Amino acid sequence: MHNSWRDINTLYHIYPRSFQDTNDDGIGDLPGITSRLDYLSLVLGVDAIWLSPFFTSPMRDFGYDVANYRQVDSDYGTLDDFKKLLDEAHRRHMKVMIDFVPCHTSDQHAWFKESRSSRDNPKRDYYTWRDPGPDGGAPNNWLSQSGGTSWTFDETTGQYYLHSFLSAQPDLNWDNPSLRKEMTDTVRWWFEQGVDGMRVDAIWGISKDPNLADDPQNPEFHGEHPSEYGHFIHNKCKYGPNFTNYLKELSDVCHEFENRQMIFEFYPDDKIGDFYDQYHQVAAEVNPDVASTFFMELIRSPWNADMLGNGLDRYINYAAKDALPVFCLGNHDQPRIVSRVGESKARAMALLNLTLPGLSVIYYGDEIGMENGELTPSQVRDTFSPLNTSDTTRDLERTPMQWDHSARASFSQVTPWLPIHKNHRAINAMTELSDSSSMLSLYRRLVRLRKQYPVLRIGSFTRLFVGSGYVLAFKRELDDQRVYVVVNFADQPQDIQLPEICSYLVSSQTAPRERESREAKPTLRPLEAVLYIA
Ligand code: NOJ
Ligand code: CA
C-alpha cells in the first residue's frame, strides 16, 4: 500500500469476535473478516480497517490480555489467515490497522511466567515488583481501573506486582530498556508483515512516577463512588516523566517504513489539565507525522452545540493541527451511539463524523444503527470490571454483526458467544441495503461524498455562527471549493443564515429535504444535520 494515511477517508473498526464466524464455533474469526471485505469496500465504501486484538490470549479481557504478540489466537485462525486477510484487503486498496497493547500483557505471557519465577530472573524487571508496604499491604494507594488495588501479592517471591487493569494483566515496565526493545521489535515485525498501522491501547500508563508515590486525593470529589477510582487524581500511576518519550520511541518505528501510522487511545482527564493541552502534548511531543490521538469528545461531550463546536475547533486547529485528526462515535468500550442518544441524533452525528477532517472511524454495526445488546446476567462474558452488570457490561456494544434477518443474522450457524439482538429482523445490512431511508443508506451516501469531495478530508475547518445558538456550524474549504456543515442540536426547527447561497448535498434525516433551489436561509428540522456546497 503506497498511499499515505492522509489519503484515507474512513477507518472501519472491527471487533473480530463479533463480525463473522466461519467455522461454526459461534466466534467471529479472521477468515470471516476476509469474507466480508467486499461488503466493506464495495457496499459501504470504507478504505481502511482496524482490528481489535486477535493475538494469543486467555481472553480474560478478550484479547487485550496478550500472551504472545506475534501469534494469532486459535479462536480467530492462524497467521496465514491473517496474511490472507492482509493481501485481500490490500488487493482492494484498503489499509489494515491492528491493535497494539503496550502497557500490559496477560499473566500467561512467557515473560511474566519467567518474571514471577524468581527475584533474580532476567525478566524480573520487565514488570513492576515491590515489597509490601509498611503495614504489610499494597506498596502504595494506586487503584486498578478494573476495581480495587492495582497490586497483587505473589507467593512465589513474596512481592506484589502492579496491574492497572485486571490482576491477569500485569503492567509492563517501560523503564527497562530491554523491554522497550522487545516492544519496538514487535512493532517492526508486524510492519514487516505488511501491516499499515497500529491503534495503540491505553497509553496513559506507559510511564509512571519513578518513586511510585501515592496518587493524591481528589479534593473535588464528593459523594460515594463504588470503585473509589474517582477519589484520586491519577497523576502518579499515569503520565510519568517519560510519557511522551516512550510513545515517541514506539511510534518512531513508523519512520523505518513507508506510510505507517499509529493512533493512540487517549482519553484526556480533566483533573490533569486542559483537555486540548493534553491532546496537543501527545501529538506534538510524539511526532505528528506518524502518530495522533482519537478525539473522544463525540462520545463524551454533553449534547451542546457550543461545547462540541469549541472542542472540535480546539482539537482540529490546535491540538491535532499537524497530526492526523481522528474522529469516532463509539468503540468496543462505549455503549452504542443509537442507544446513547437515539436514532435522530445518531444520524446527525454520523453526518458530523463523516464531514470532519482527517480520518472518520466507524465502529462495526453503527452503520446499520445497531443498538446495545440485551443480555441476561448469565449471558454476560466480560469480567473486566466487577462493577459491571448485564445493563452496563461492555458486552452490550459487542454483540454479533447483524447481516440479515435469518435466525442467527448470518453471523454463525450455531449459538454465538453473545446473543444476536432480537431487533436484527429489521436492523440488518441486507434489509437496509434496499431501503433508501435506512441508516446504512445514509452511511453509504456519506462515505461516497467524503471520497468524492476531498475538501471534506483535507479542507480547512472554520467554525461559523449562523444565527442560532443551537446550531453547530462550520465551513470546510479547499482551493475554490467550500462546503458547510450545520447540525441542529435542538428538537425545534431553527432558521439559519448561511454565509452564501448553497445547494444541499445530504441531510441526516429519513425524509430528504425538499430539493430547494439554491438558498442561503434554510430552516433546519429538529435534530437535523445538513451538508451544503457553495
Ligand atoms: C482499552 C481497551 O479498549 C479495552 O477494551 C481494554 O479492556 C483496556 N484498554 C485494557 O487493555
Ligand atoms: Ca469461528
Side-chain angles (χ1 to χ4, degrees):
M1 288 293 287
H2 296 300
N3 60 337
S4 139
W5 275 92
R6 308 261 173 171
D7 300 327
I8 298 293
N9 290 290
T10 40
L11 172 67
Y12 188 88
H13 174 192
I14 295 175
Y15 197 67
R17 213 172 177 77
S18 296
F19 202 56
Q20 179 67 61
D21 176 24
T22 55
N23 63 343
D24 302 344
D25 62 357
I27 295 174
D29 42 53
L30 297 177
I33 298 171
T34 308
S35 75
R36 293 295 186 177
L37 286 176
D38 281 340
Y39 165 80
L40 296 173
S41 145
L42 301 176
V43 177
L44 188 55
V46 300
D47 41 13
I49 54 175
W50 148 34
L51 312 180
S52 276
F54 50 80
F55 318 106
T56 310
S57 165
M59 304 293 168
R60 296 288 307 280
D61 187 12
F62 291 107
Y64 285 95
D65 48 332
V66 180
N68 187 328
Y69 285 104
R70 300 185 193 194
Q71 259 171 27
V72 172
D73 193 276
S74 57
D75 275 357
Y76 302 124
T78 63
L79 192 55
D80 279 343
D81 290 331
F82 178 74
K83 289 184 178 162
K84 178 129 191 277
L85 165 55
L86 197 58
D87 286 348
E88 288 293 320
H90 285 170
R91 205 162 64 75
R92 291 167 175 81
H93 305 288
M94 299 167 87
K95 287 192 187 289
V96 177
M97 182 168 268
I98 64 172
D99 217 305
F100 188 63
V101 187
C103 296
H104 48 267
T105 66
S106 159
D107 60 355
Q108 300 306 306
H109 195 293
W111 299 339
F112 190 69
K113 290 184 180 169
E114 281 194 51
S115 182
R116 83 188 326 176
S117 66
S118 75
R119 289 192 184 208
D120 55 10
N121 183 281
K123 301 242 176 341
R124 183 68 169 178
D125 193 42
Y126 273 28
Y127 298 84
T128 300
W129 293 93
R130 285 293 183 280
D131 287 332
D135 59 352
N140 66 18
N141 72 356
W142 294 357
L143 294 178
S144 155
Q145 290 184 53
S146 307
T149 169
S150 60
W151 295 95
T152 290
F153 187 72
D154 200 44
E155 297 285 346
T156 321
T157 55
Q159 283 192 316
Y160 281 86
Y161 68 88
L162 182 63
H163 51 90
S164 298
F165 299 97
L166 293 171
S167 61
Q169 291 169 298
D171 280 19
L172 287 165
N173 172 21
W174 274 69
D175 294 334
N176 179 305
S178 314
L179 180 273
R180 293 208 299 281
K181 174 139 189 349
E182 301 256 24
M183 297 308 271
T184 48
D185 279 350
T186 304
V187 171
R188 236 169 241 122
W189 186 82
W190 280 108
F191 285 165
E192 278 157 11
Q193 310 307 308
V195 161
D196 301 292
M198 293 193 168
R199 173 267 191 187
V200 184
D201 184 71
I203 57 167
W204 45 86
I206 201 164
S207 172
K208 286 144 178 136
D209 177 61
N211 303 317
L212 306 188
D214 278 354
D215 276 331
Q217 297 280 338
N218 175 8
E220 281 167 24
F221 193 83
H222 305 292
E224 288 303 302
H225 190 281
S227 75
E228 292 184 338
Y229 202 72
H231 285 236
F232 296 103
I233 296 176
H234 302 279
N235 60 3
K236 297 292 176 190
C237 70
K238 298 176 183 170
Y239 318 107
N242 286 306
F243 176 50
T244 52
N245 294 340
Y246 293 159
L247 291 176
K248 182 166 180 354
E249 189 170 335
L250 179 69
S251 53
D252 274 348
V253 177
C254 293
H255 287 298
E256 299 167 24
F257 300 81
E258 255 184 278
N259 297 322
R260 300 305 204 277
Q261 174 79 31
M262 288 193 180
I263 306 174
F264 297 129
E265 183 203 23
F266 182 54
Y267 292 89
D269 180 343
D270 58 4
K271 289 185 279 314
I272 304 292
D274 178 81
F275 270 19
Y276 299 94
D277 287 343
Q278 293 173 65
Y279 279 126
H280 177 76
Q281 182 197 16
V282 174
E285 291 178 19
V286 173
N287 187 338
D289 291 341
V290 291
S292 65
T293 61
F294 286 90
F295 177 77
M296 296 297 193
E297 314 318 319
L298 295 178
I299 298 176
R300 298 194 296 182
S301 168
W303 186 255
N304 179 300
D306 193 52
M307 284 172 78
L308 201 52
N310 187 41
L312 286 168
D313 189 29
R314 293 200 66 208
Y315 174 77
I316 295 165
N317 291 323
Y318 160 62
K321 190 165 174 295
D322 301 315
L324 176 71
V326 186
F327 299 94
C328 59
L329 302 177
N331 58 44
H332 60 295
D333 299 328
Q334 307 290 343
R336 290 264 178 198
I337 174 126
V338 172
S339 300
R340 289 200 319 263
V341 300
E343 192 189 330
S344 300
K345 292 179 182 173
R347 283 173 163 266
M349 287 295 104
L351 189 146
L352 177 63
N353 185 26
L354 284 146
T355 54
L356 288 168
L359 200 53
S360 306
V361 184
I362 302 171
Y363 183 53
Y364 87 94
D366 280 354
E367 80 277 20
I368 56 169
M370 275 177 63
E371 295 174 16
N372 281 351
E374 289 173 352
L375 274 69
T376 62
S378 69
Q379 289 172 321
V380 173
R381 296 288 169 269
D382 180 27
T383 55
F384 185 64
S385 169
L387 303 170
N388 281 343
T389 65
S390 53
D391 294 328
T392 59
T393 167
R394 300 181 302 180
D395 291 339
L396 301 179
E397 57 266 17
R398 299 173 178 181
T399 57
M401 177 66 183
Q402 297 167 200
W403 294 106
D404 62 27
H405 52 67
S406 66
R408 295 191 182 94
S410 280
F411 166 72
S412 178
Q413 303 291 327
V414 301
T415 305
W417 78 286
L418 284 176
I420 312 259
H421 201 298
K422 57 181 185 312
N423 70 14
H424 80 275
R425 295 197 188 270
I427 297 179
N428 67 70
M430 198 179 82
T431 305
E432 292 187 29
L433 194 52
S434 52
D435 170 2
S436 64
S437 66
S438 67
M439 186 72 92
L440 181 58
S441 294
L442 173 65
Y443 265 88
R444 292 180 70 204
R445 237 171 267 144
L446 290 168
V447 171
R448 200 173 54 232
L449 287 168
R450 189 171 180 81
K451 268 195 218 158
Q452 190 180 339
Y453 294 100
V455 60
L456 291 173
R457 193 181 73 251
I458 49 178
S460 62
F461 173 99
T462 313
R463 252 189 106 189
L464 296 176
F465 188 71
V466 290
S468 159
Y470 292 108
V471 175
L472 162 61
F474 53 87
K475 171 169 80 170
R476 306 289 318 280
E477 188 165 16
L478 179 68
D479 304 326
D480 56 359
Q481 192 150 76
R482 289 178 308 285
V483 298
Y484 298 94
V485 176
V486 286
V487 186
N488 179 7
F489 278 63
D491 47 18
Q492 300 294 322
Q494 301 293 313
D495 295 325
I496 61 165
Q497 167 83 60
L498 296 169
E500 58 186 315
I501 295 176
C502 289
S503 328
Y504 117 98
L505 283 175
V506 61
S507 156
S508 64
Q509 297 207 348
T510 311
R513 292 183 72 79
E514 286 163 31
R515 278 266 172 207
E516 306 114 335
S517 47
R518 293 164 52 77
E519 60 174 344
K521 289 188 175 183
T523 300
L524 297 180
R525 292 174 286 186
L527 303 175
E528 181 176 32
V530 187
L531 170 63
Y532 287 97
I533 186 159

